[in-house]
Amino acid sequence: MRNIILAVNELSKHFVLHILDGKVITGCAGVSFSLQQGEFLGIAGPSGAGKSTVIKCIYRTYLPSGGNVLYRTAGGREVDLARAPEREVIRLRRLEIGYASQFLKVMPRVPAVDVLAGELRRKGWDMERARARAREYLAIMNIDRPLWDAYPSTFSGGEQQRINLARALITAPRLLLLDEPTASLDPETKKIVIRILRDVKEQGTGIIGIFHDYDVMRRLVDRVFTMQSGRCSQAGDRREGLM
């Protein structure tokens, strides 16, 4: 039986708008679910339902207002990502937790090959080996060879999203968080990404993904977690959440 690597319990996030006299906006509240090793959980729901807030709380882009985000590390330790020190969160991001958002944010004037190689360098790889693996991923993502030494800021939206995905995947994370990973991709590139994500899942990575493209979601996920107004409204198999 696969092991649970992530357990989210009564997660909540509230935003205080000081510019509006302290008005409180609820991003999510009472969200609970678990994720097993090698499982793909999809999060569905309308815009503004709180999907990205949940992902960002797990990755700790947002500091949760309440609840627990219990992650079991490769070494078997249980870490509450909602309360762990920043240093521990950064270490886990570098070694075990990958994240791809809808938007690419990288250092300017850094070639695409070095953007990817940098992720491996942070794990202790030497530059030659890291750049060789980076070139493999650029080829897998169907990035034209002349662009490998170009700056991603000059790329098209779809090319940037492929770089974003490659950054998240190249370190072979144990937990992978995806926020609209196929939003800017053409049909052929979507097929490539679907194949890669299936391979990653089969290798034991636990994946949580937000999708508005339900056709892509149907082809990938094991379960669907549906949100409405910041709360879980439904959790079940892939058929129930995508009718």
Side-chain angles (χ1 to χ4, degrees):
M1 184 175 179
R2 292 174 296 182
N3 297 320
I4 291 177
I5 63 169
L6 186 75
V8 176
N9 303 308
E10 294 296 320
L11 177 66
S12 65
K13 175 60 182 176
H14 306 294
F15 300 94
V16 179
L17 305 182
H18 297 287
I19 196 171
L20 296 178
D21 297 322
K23 181 178 180 180
V24 177
I25 302 295
T26 298
C28 65
V31 174
S32 299
F33 61 87
S34 63
L35 180 74
Q36 294 181 329
Q37 199 168 9
E39 182 182 25
F40 200 136
L41 175 67
I43 303 181
S47 296
K51 304 183 299 296
S52 292
T53 298
V54 170
I55 290 282
K56 289 177 179 178
C57 283
I58 295 171
Y59 195 62
R60 262 284 288 276
T61 305
Y62 292 159
L63 184 65
S65 303
N68 304 107
V69 181
L70 304 177
Y71 172 70
R72 187 165 297 280
T73 70
R77 291 188 304 115
E78 188 176 83
V79 177
D80 186 356
L81 298 175
R83 293 175 173 79
E86 289 292 330
R87 181 177 297 179
E88 175 72 355
V89 173
I90 291 170
R91 188 186 73 83
L92 288 172
R93 287 176 180 174
R94 184 177 72 249
L95 298 176
E96 300 189 23
I97 302 175
Y99 171 67
S101 70
Q102 301 177 57
F103 309 105
L104 178 66
K105 296 179 182 179
V106 296
M107 292 290 290
R109 295 182 294 280
V110 175
V113 66
D114 289 331
V115 167
L116 299 190
E119 300 298 317
L120 295 172
R121 292 281 288 161
R122 282 187 277 276
K123 292 190 72 170
W125 290 42
D126 65 72
M127 179 58 83
E128 184 177 351
R129 183 177 171 222
R131 293 189 102 218
R133 180 61 61 87
R135 293 186 190 98
E136 291 176 9
Y137 268 78
L138 289 167
I140 289 170
M141 286 295 179
N142 202 25
I143 299 294
D144 290 341
R145 186 176 290 270
L147 295 179
W148 293 5
D149 292 313
Y151 306 146
S153 59
T154 66
F155 291 6
S156 70
E159 289 164 343
Q160 289 187 2
Q161 184 63 352
R162 279 178 271 167
I163 295 295
N164 225 6
L165 280 166
R167 285 178 73 198
L169 293 168
I170 197 169
T171 58
R174 295 183 69 248
L175 173 63
L176 179 60
L177 308 171
L178 303 172
D179 191 346
E180 291 290 349
T182 59
S184 303
L185 303 183
D186 60 81
E188 286 305 310
T189 306
K190 282 183 182 181
K191 291 178 183 177
I192 294 170
V193 170
I194 288 169
R195 185 181 71 246
I196 292 170
L197 291 176
R198 283 175 174 166
D199 290 344
V200 169
K201 175 179 176 292
E202 289 176 3
Q203 291 165 14
T205 296
I207 308 173
I208 302 174
I210 297 171
F211 297 87
H212 281 114
D213 189 331
Y214 283 1
D215 178 62
V216 171
M217 187 184 281
R218 286 188 187 96
R219 297 163 68 180
L220 286 171
V221 304
D222 299 300
R223 287 188 296 134
V224 177
F225 178 91
T226 305
M227 294 191 67
Q228 185 75 38
S229 301
R231 296 181 179 274
C232 172
S233 61
Q234 181 177 321
D237 68 20
R238 73 178 73 195
R239 295 174 296 278
E240 291 173 349
L242 300 172
M243 297 300 288

